[in-house]
Amino acid sequence: QVAMVTPSAFSRARICAIEPGLAELKWQEIPHGAPPMPRLETPSAKGSESRQATREPLRVLVPGHIPGGKGEWLLRELLPMLDEGFEVFLLGAGPAGHPFISLPFVRFQEHYRREHLAESVARFRPDVALLPSTVPETWGYVLTEMQQLGVPVLAGRQGAYAERLRDGAG
């Protein structure tokens, strides 16, 4: 009797779609672990009143690598439609972030080390983290990091994101 382990129900469904016979086995979901990150006080934690009163731009953090369907394609469509009401920080976008550097409201940092992530996020003070992946994630480490930091997350409802994100839940 083989026990199968998966990080999410979505991951299990994908595996069983490839090999339907595995569905009959005993399965256990064990979420991926990650060292804890310090919870930050973000502008969104304080409420949006101060930003609205001073007309500060909405600060959108896009953490992690974004090649192709991991965010680059969606950002290519979205970012040119934004205006000075937004400030976007592509943190760790890798080379795929280079085409967006010319936009006046975009900040860019090609790479980061995980041990410096909390510091970089705290310095930017995001209102929200955007995870623009259009491909289904089987878990989503960046989602875990943003949740641990206390940054509200906006992401599509596909893959493991659909089961891990709940409206209004931290």
Side-chain angles (χ1 to χ4, degrees):
Q1 181 70 0
V2 175
M4 301 294 287
V5 177
T6 182
S8 64
F10 172 75
S11 177
R12 175 185 176 182
R14 293 286 284 214
I15 292 168
C16 291
I18 295 168
E19 181 49 63
L22 295 177
E24 304 302 318
L25 297 176
K26 179 182 173 188
W27 285 84
Q28 183 177 3
E29 286 181 31
I30 301 177
H32 285 301
M37 304 281 283
R39 195 155 186 88
L40 305 176
E41 181 149 335
T42 62
S44 58
K46 296 179 186 176
S48 60
E49 299 82 20
S50 63
R51 185 177 36 75
Q52 290 174 347
T54 60
R55 301 217 186 271
E56 290 181 35
L58 182 70
R59 291 187 170 147
V60 180
L61 174 67
V62 181
H65 281 212
I66 60 165
K70 297 288 270 184
E72 179 183 11
W73 298 336
L74 181 63
L75 292 174
R76 192 178 307 141
E77 299 294 321
L78 174 67
L79 291 182
M81 297 187 322
L82 301 181
D83 60 21
E84 66 275 354
F86 293 88
E87 187 174 352
V88 178
F89 184 19
L90 303 177
L91 177 59
H98 286 240
F100 307 112
I101 296 172
S102 62
L103 296 170
F105 52 84
V106 172
R107 289 197 217 171
F108 174 74
Q109 182 176 322
E110 190 165 348
H111 302 286
Y112 66 86
R113 295 177 59 104
R114 187 178 191 280
E115 58 267 21
H116 299 141
L117 177 61
E119 178 184 322
S120 296
V121 172
R123 225 181 357 258
F124 181 61
R125 298 182 358 255
D127 294 297
V128 65
L130 173 64
L131 305 183
S133 181
T134 56
V135 296
E137 301 284 346
T138 58
W139 178 251
Y141 284 103
V142 175
L143 171 59
T144 299
E145 291 166 342
M146 293 302 106
Q147 289 175 323
Q148 287 181 351
L149 290 169
V151 179
V153 174
L154 177 62
R157 294 190 54 80
Q158 75 271 349
Y161 287 173
E163 64 189 86
R164 295 190 58 213
L165 287 171
R166 302 283 181 258
D167 291 342

